[in-house]
Amino acid sequence: MATERIVIDPITRIEGHLRIELEAEGGRIGNAWACATQFRGIEKILEGRDPRDAWAFAQRICGVCTGVHAIASIRAVEDAIKCRIPESAELIRNLVSGMATLQDHVMHFYHLHALDWVDVMSALAADPAATSRLAASVSPWPNNSASWFKEVQQRVATSAKGGLGIFASGYWGHPAYRLPPEANLMAVAHYLEALKWQREVIKLHTIFAGKNPHPNYLVGGMATSINLDNQLTINKVRLDQLGELIREARRFVDEVYYPDVMAIAGFYPEYASIGVSSPTLMAVGESAFSCSGTPAGKPVAAGLLMDGDYRTSHPFNPRMVAEYVSSAWYLYPEGDRQGLHPWQGRTDPNYTGPKPPYRQLSDQEKYTWCKAPRYDGRPVQVGPNARIMLAYAQGHPDTVQLANRDLGKLRAGVEALNSTLGRTYCRALESVILARRMEEWFAALNERIRSGDVSTFNAELWEPESWPKQAQGMGYLEAARGTLSHWVEIENGRIARYQCVVPSTWNSSGRDPNGLMGPYEQALAGDKKHPLADPKRPVEVLRTIHSFDPCLSCAVHLLVPGGPAFEVKVR
């Protein structure tokens, strides 16, 4: 049987430009290449700047993953100058990061990933009353009425006449879709509700940090004033509003998002063994929400699951991280086989690929703008499934209880979490746990305010004269898509070197000098079993790639030196 070459460019419903090249034979994928075809400019831009401003520039790496880059940047600078911040500022950062993660997970499922599982056109054949009964059987959500589902059905029918609007260009009718019409209608209705929900809950960012996207932060704490007697600060009215937003977020997660994921998962049990990726997974723990520098502490400590052993947590050592460019369009003076630790990292572009338009990229050794991070030489998978699996291995009570219950329903073991379905499920499970933690953080913040502790900024090390002449720092946290780190070198009060190693760089990396695939590539070709029924409608590939929630704007972040990247003419 002949091998067929398949190119999917671009992969849609993601942030940034990702191209997947495949070799398939007999309805199965045999080989895969993940090609990042976009480059942008941040790391070079930061060199020579005031470290206190770095967060504002780093945050522009992405318009979706905004605040996480700011916090990682600030933590790197705070680590370098040895600045500790007030407890109330830590709690506010936790809440801002937590709400960003909840919003991101819900948006990912409904607006970026759900249509890989949900056939929108099938919803037109659903019985709204039967849909209401189905929804009531899985959740007490009050909007699950027959009249609402009928209204949604009419909206979809109207859109279908004009080409389906936001639901256009789907693979409707594909034999890989399994949901009955009523489940499809329920999911489409919740897709529309999630649009409104995500817009409301993110108001927490505007209250605590001024705006969204790109909320405001501050080296040494948060630019947030707390005074219960002042109308222009965080006061009792604002605290009540924040509490309501947190409750609203938790209710939607508990009664809509999580039940929908579990309901849909039951129709696709085979995907618990499809899309298996790197057997080494890494997360820097929940503690990364509340520390500067190397993460350490409870309730979940930084660590790795190594080489397919999903029961043993190994300690995390940031010195073991290195980035390779053997498959990426960069130049290392040390040579392509040499990996560089981020504190020695370079971002020197050296495009050697074909001139656009091109038929393929993977016939060359270098085929992507994405570097290849490795941990002790291993490709590493990061993301919500890495966090959940690490928490499970460490015996985190909520994680173990909920995961055991749900895996029992799916008749699967913990190894199923390293799969297409596992990554999707872990986002929902993490959202349930995180929503609970946000209520705890908010209660702790209120208690500190009641006790009179309203400090949110430590000014002791604000002035560069108080810093060492030379310093290095790293800032870690768990972003929605996985482990994020920023690395800074400061000389004489200015940034001398800056590097970012982000979740989608880990996951979308290409081959390293030993020929080891990155996690996207492994998920499609590593087990040699990934299905592909119709090369012209590759919904199975979309399911697996979307399960990582790719963000290529984050994965690639450079500037071509020597002149402007583009020219804008205003007429």
Side-chain angles (χ1 to χ4, degrees), residues 145-260:
S145 66
S147 59
W148 166 238
F149 289 127
K150 183 176 181 180
E151 180 183 337
V152 170
Q153 194 175 48
Q154 291 171 343
R155 289 189 193 180
V156 173
T158 300
S159 297
K161 296 177 182 178
L164 274 182
I166 59 174
F167 300 129
S169 302
Y171 300 138
W172 318 129
H174 194 292
Y177 284 118
R178 301 277 184 77
L179 298 182
E182 285 71 26
N184 284 314
L185 179 56
M186 180 180 71
V188 171
H190 293 163
Y191 175 112
L192 297 175
E193 287 188 79
L195 288 170
K196 179 181 179 181
W197 172 88
Q198 61 88 19
R199 183 185 66 202
E200 292 299 315
V201 297
I202 209 61
K203 289 178 180 177
L204 180 142
H205 278 200
T206 65
I207 296 172
F208 269 138
K211 60 192 180 75
N212 179 272
H214 306 306
N216 294 312
Y217 294 91
L218 184 68
V219 170
M222 287 293 291
T224 305
S225 296
I226 302 174
N227 185 339
L228 299 184
D229 297 321
N230 190 321
Q231 292 184 344
L232 301 178
T233 64
I234 300 298
N235 53 33
K236 184 62 169 64
V237 173
R238 288 300 191 192
L239 289 172
D240 289 345
Q241 186 178 1
L242 289 163
E244 180 58 32
L245 292 172
I246 292 168
R247 287 188 292 274
E248 183 181 343
R250 178 174 178 179
R251 186 176 188 188
F252 192 87
V253 165
D254 287 346
E255 297 184 9
V256 183
Y257 172 35
Y258 187 63
D260 278 359

Side-chain angles (χ1 to χ4, degrees), residues 15-39:
E15 173 65 23
H17 300 290
L18 175 63
R19 172 187 176 102
I20 297 292
E21 298 191 5
L22 304 169
E23 288 181 351
E25 182 178 330
R28 299 284 174 177
I29 296 172
N31 211 342
W33 296 264
C35 310
T37 60
Q38 175 192 43
F39 64 86

